Amino acid sequence: MDQESPIEALDAIARSVDEAFAAARDDNDLRQVTARFTGRDGSLTKIMKRIPELPGPERKPFGQRVNEVKGLVERAQSNAAERLRSEARARELSRPALDITLPGRRPRIGRIHPCMRTMHEIIDVFTSLGFDVAEGPEVELAENNFDRLGFPPDHPAMDMHDSFFLPSRRPGDRVLLRTHTSTVQVREMLSHPPPVQAIMPGAVFRRDDDATHSPMFFQLEGLMVDEGITLSNLRGALEAFLTRLFGAGVKTRFRASYFPFVEPGAEMDVECLICGGRDPHCRVCKGTGWLEILGCGMVHPVVFESVGYDPERYRGFAFGMGIDRLTMLRYGINDIRHLFENDVRFLGSL
Ligand SMILES: [Zn+2]
């Protein structure tokens, strides 16, 4: 067998090409078969090393013959590749057809977050009562957030622990994430002469994080300033609002309270929406029969002075409420964090 001449060996290789490629069943086979002929240890590569066995005049024609056989290998390889492609296509076509009568997957449709739903409803009520909607930046000067609202310099909210202070670009500026939307009241009054009648919805930020406090929550404040505004205007506007939100006949009450920027100040309660004041063990009102809804009062003259309004001539009222708290009351949610954990199963159930 090893006496076979290089020429006989080459002829044997040439005869084996077609059969070898015909046996290839996939791309991997194809690579292996090709390597058997023209790879580093392939038969055609090795046979070139036998050229010295041939007499001089036969060497050049032998080299040409080797190249011809390499050409055969190339053609056989590309034919086999084409055969494998059409076999794959035939297999694809012989599979069962796609069943287009199967029902499709229903796309999940989003909806408005319960806090935003509550806020939009409250905005609708107040705009129908003639209030404009005013907005302002969430990053504020401490001057607008505290000083102009008459906060005494030692007020605990000014402590670093209760507010998110930020580095400021201009030396001397104290900059923070606003702790209430009252900053927008200040901006409204600084930019408009009286009369003013506007609500200010928006996100506010405090260093709080427990079952009833979130570091970010939503407030909506309102402000009405004109000549001759009295406490009865305040009460009338808020009762109209609560009746629209909770239905006719809802009972409300004022309780005296303290806020730095109003005098007098009050909190407004509605009767418990869950037990109507009849369940001494009610978890929502804790048996009191009342729910705190908002804080309000007549704007303090100090505030008017700080924004350039004449406190002798103008009177005004202001109020503020937590949208998240109202949302919790409406939907009977006992932990504010549920509203911000963004569990779609929970939010979708509201
Ligand atoms: Zn109750």
Side-chain angles (χ1 to χ4, degrees), residues 272-279 282-291:
C272 178
L273 305 167
I274 308 298
C275 73
R278 285 182 294 273
D279 178 3
C282 174
R283 286 170 55 198
V284 175
C285 66
K286 299 188 178 71
T288 63
W290 295 97
L291 301 171

Side-chain angles (χ1 to χ4, degrees), residues 113-135:
H113 191 280
C115 282
M116 291 300 103
R117 238 183 291 160
T118 305
M119 186 184 277
H120 290 158
E121 284 180 35
I122 296 174
I123 290 173
D124 279 350
V125 173
F126 279 107
T127 50
S128 75
L129 293 172
F131 284 78
D132 295 326
V133 176
E135 288 177 304

Side-chain angles (χ1 to χ4, degrees), residues 54 63 144 158 249 266 319 328:
L54 295 167
N144 288 341
M158 294 169 74
F319 58 86
M328 289 167 73

Side-chain angles (χ1 to χ4, degrees), residues 77-90:
Q77 185 207 14
S78 81
N79 289 342
E82 177 55 35
R83 171 177 60 80
L84 290 177
R85 272 196 294 278
S86 56
E87 282 172 6
R89 246 191 322 270

